[in-house]
Amino acid sequence: MSTDELSTTFAALADPTRRAILDRLRHGEASVAELAEPFELTVRAVSKHVGVLEAAGLITRTRDRQRRLSRLEGRPLAQVEAWLEEYRPVWQDRFDNLAQHLEGSTDDTT
């Protein structure tokens, strides 16, 4: 994934409403009106959020009779996961150091 694609994905994920929309789409396709139900936002405002997610490749939209349905796309999220995986050794090292520190401090109290 290029840096620009990653930046676009992270920018789309930065908004809590868009993350909530993605969370809803984990359970299946939905129209914009259905996606708007839990929010105190207009359908038009939710539609704009859906447009940002679509531009980032996080969702695709298809037509089903009279409705346009949004569907979660996993590729950009898999690419974010792959990028984050490069940092796992750093986190793991810090957790290991913390575990050693905590184990050492419990030995002192017994």
Side-chain angles (χ1 to χ4, degrees):
M1 171 179 261
S2 76
T3 302
D4 288 342
E5 288 176 308
L6 196 58
S7 295
T8 301
T9 300
F10 277 124
L13 294 172
D15 186 277
T17 299
R18 291 194 283 268
R19 291 192 308 271
I21 289 169
L22 290 178
D23 188 51
R24 164 54 183 86
L25 291 174
R26 285 186 311 120
H27 305 288
E29 298 175 333
S31 68
V32 171
E34 291 167 336
L35 292 172
E37 287 174 3
F39 301 106
E40 293 183 14
L41 299 171
T42 65
V43 171
R44 183 180 178 121
V46 172
S47 182
K48 288 182 179 187
H49 284 294
V50 167
V52 171
L53 293 168
E54 186 176 23
L58 290 159
I59 66 170
T60 55
R61 297 176 77 193
T62 59
R63 189 166 290 286
D64 175 30
R65 297 185 199 128
Q66 299 297 329
R67 302 182 321 159
R68 287 197 68 190
L69 298 175
S70 297
R71 174 184 302 150
L72 183 64
E73 291 297 325
R75 186 186 61 80
L77 294 174
Q79 291 170 327
V80 167
E81 180 183 26
W83 181 82
L84 288 171
E85 187 63 29
E86 295 177 21
Y87 294 88
R88 184 175 301 280
V90 174
W91 303 333
Q92 192 60 52
D93 185 51
R94 290 181 182 171
F95 287 136
D96 291 345
N97 289 339
L98 177 60
Q100 288 174 358
H101 175 75
L102 293 174
E103 287 171 7
S105 63
T106 58
D107 290 341
D108 295 339
T109 60
T110 56

